[in-house]
Amino acid sequence: MEMKPFEKKVWLSTPTMHGEELKYVTEAYETNWMSTVGKNINEVERLVCEKIGCKYAVALSAGTAALHMAVKLAGVKPGQKVFCSDMTFAATVNPVVYEGGVPVFIDTEYDTWNMDPVALEKAFELHPEVKVVVVAHLYGTPGKVDEIREICRRHGAVIIEDAAESMGATYKGVQTGTFGDYNAISFNGNKIITGSSGGMLLTDSLEAANKVRKWSTQSRENAPWYQHEEVGYNYRMSNVIAGVVRGQFPYLEEHIAQKKAIYERYREGFKDLPVSMNPVDFANSEPNYWLSCMMIEPQAMCKQVRGEAEALYIHEPGKTCPTEILEKLAWLNAEGRPIWKPMHMQPIYRMHSFVTREGDGRAKTNAYIAGGAVGADGKPLDVGMDIFQRGLCLPSDNKMTEKEQEIIIQVIRSCFD
Ligand SMILES: *Cc1c(COP(=O)(O)O)cnc(C)c1O
């Protein structure tokens, strides 16, 4: 096969428009509903409730805004610890800090790459006073929902579910975005469907939904003038953005099917390599396959060292590493990405508590420069660090052709030469 860079870049994940978006945006324009009120907003809230199976949906400017509102609803106060997924995008945890809360990071499990219930239980032993847990479903794959809910129930903790990446994915036949007390989805440009931006707070509590409707529109009281009893936010979704979401909505299942086909082609293409795909608990869940990822077996990892902003590796025959693969993908004009760097490894959160299955794992942090699943001190890396070290996100754009994907697979295979 001829190997030369693609003329047109193959992206990680980009918006896919279908035409109906323009119809609803134009309708908003022509009827002059160009604000944060209008038919598109009402309609997307209705559509989301119908699809996801929640009672109330409040359309907001971003998934991050929805998570912020969820943290407020959960009553997080300054200085309070909150248990959070560790291997996730920073927007899962930043809203805790907006309210003065202190994230405590819970290590990841290898079965779904999400919050480890064993580590969560350990965290409640260490910090029994904690009353809020923020849990994400990474890359569109549902985590261990039953186990996490059972632990939270026993400890009387509120769950905030970050379903920003997993819209349309199900666990035991039920949509993600319904398992927490307060849940968030996102319509950011790279998500499974998009509004170009936007997000929603989902809940079954009318009181909670009403609070978010009020807070997100500047907390105006019912008075003839601007009257305020609470801090307000300008977080409501625009009716123009809602038009885009409304036009995208009928294509959610089509996008999922395309992403699933991409995942399966990668799995097939790598089946004789010392790698695995991002794992799925097929007995319990059906992901939305938002991003396809791979992880290299420890024995097939060449030496790779990552600093704060650069990485180096030494190629060895039969071995490779995420840095080498990402370099080759960049040469090919295809966009891959490292696994979301765990929060406990981030400079901003490095001094926060981090709980592994074995207990407080913060002391292990300086071992992450080592290759494979074992740190320089001979001890195993924590799970998040290990997946970050050995894993990467593959080009997963649903507009990538089969031919392009075949070439991407060949280029990745050549890294193992
Ligand atoms: C995208 C994302 C968010 C934030 O959503 P925005 O709409 O971009 O604000 C939150 N959490 C996770 C896991 C995400 O991937």
Side-chain angles (χ1 to χ4, degrees), residues 25 28-37 238-240:
V25 169
Y29 179 89
E30 285 175 347
T31 57
N32 205 37
W33 288 99
M34 297 295 283
S35 72
T36 52
V37 186
S238 143
N239 193 48
V240 178

Side-chain angles (χ1 to χ4, degrees), residues 340-383:
W340 295 182
K341 184 173 176 174
M343 291 302 116
H344 79 280
M345 297 170 72
Q346 299 286 355
I348 183 176
Y349 291 126
R350 199 165 274 166
M351 296 314 290
H352 285 232
S353 293
F354 167 60
V355 184
T356 68
R357 289 182 161 225
E358 288 83 36
D360 193 331
R362 196 175 55 203
K364 288 182 183 168
T365 306
N366 56 8
Y368 84 93
I369 54 167
V374 174
D377 54 3
K379 290 192 199 136
L381 296 179
D382 60 67
V383 179

Side-chain angles (χ1 to χ4, degrees), residues 96-327:
V96 170
V97 179
Y98 300 167
E99 289 303 307
V102 181
V104 169
F105 301 112
I106 310 298
D107 201 9
T108 308
E109 35 82 1
Y110 285 111
D111 300 336
T112 76
W113 289 9
N114 287 300
M115 183 186 281
D116 183 356
V118 179
L120 179 62
E121 184 67 67
K122 197 89 202 172
F124 275 113
E125 283 169 28
L126 293 164
H127 308 283
E129 75 283 7
V130 170
K131 288 287 169 252
V132 181
V133 176
V134 187
V135 58
H137 305 286
L138 203 71
Y139 303 137
T141 301
K144 300 201 171 187
V145 172
D146 279 356
E147 291 90 333
I148 288 168
R149 288 183 90 187
E150 166 56 21
I151 292 165
C152 291
R153 191 195 55 75
R154 246 187 303 112
H155 293 276
V158 164
I159 298 178
I160 295 172
E161 190 188 5
D162 179 356
E165 299 181 1
S166 67
M167 185 174 172
T170 58
Y171 177 85
K172 296 191 173 171
V174 179
Q175 293 276 326
T176 61
T178 58
F179 297 117
D181 298 86
Y182 315 116
N183 313 301
I185 55 174
S186 167
F187 299 110
N188 183 301
N190 66 2
K191 300 299 199 289
I192 191 88
I193 58 169
T194 184
S196 74
S197 66
M200 277 191 199
L201 182 287
L202 314 181
T203 181
D204 281 344
S205 158
L206 176 61
E207 195 194 345
N210 283 340
K211 277 185 187 170
V212 174
R213 283 180 200 284
K214 181 183 170 194
W215 292 339
S216 65
T217 51
Q218 308 286 18
S219 291
R220 293 169 60 177
E221 298 297 331
N222 194 6
W225 42 80
Y226 287 136
Q227 176 87 359
H228 302 285
E229 292 174 9
E230 293 177 283
V231 169
Y233 303 84
N234 183 5
Y235 275 175
R236 195 75 163 124
M237 182 184 279
S238 143
N239 193 48
V240 178
I241 298 289
V244 182
V245 176
R246 191 176 171 191
Q248 286 265 288
F249 216 83
Y251 296 92
L252 173 60
E253 292 303 327
E254 183 181 307
H255 289 190
I256 293 173
Q258 290 163 340
K259 297 273 192 179
K260 183 175 183 176
I262 290 168
Y263 179 90
E264 281 170 353
R265 283 198 290 268
Y266 277 128
R267 195 170 53 181
E268 185 63 23
F270 299 149
K271 67 169 188 249
D272 57 334
L273 290 182
V275 306
S276 53
M277 296 295 292
N278 46 327
V280 176
D281 171 16
F282 286 107
N284 289 315
S285 61
E286 182 59 31
N288 70 3
Y289 298 93
W290 176 56
L291 290 189
S292 287
C293 305
M294 62 181 273
M295 185 161 72
I296 301 163
E297 301 289 327
Q299 76 280 2
M301 277 285 291
C302 69
K303 195 163 178 64
Q304 169 188 251
V305 178
R306 281 175 167 157
E308 286 308 334
E310 342 165 84
L312 285 174
Y313 67 92
I314 303 172
H315 181 83
E316 293 170 58
K319 296 185 178 189
T320 187
C321 61
T323 304
E324 181 175 29
I325 294 174
L326 290 167
E327 212 174 85

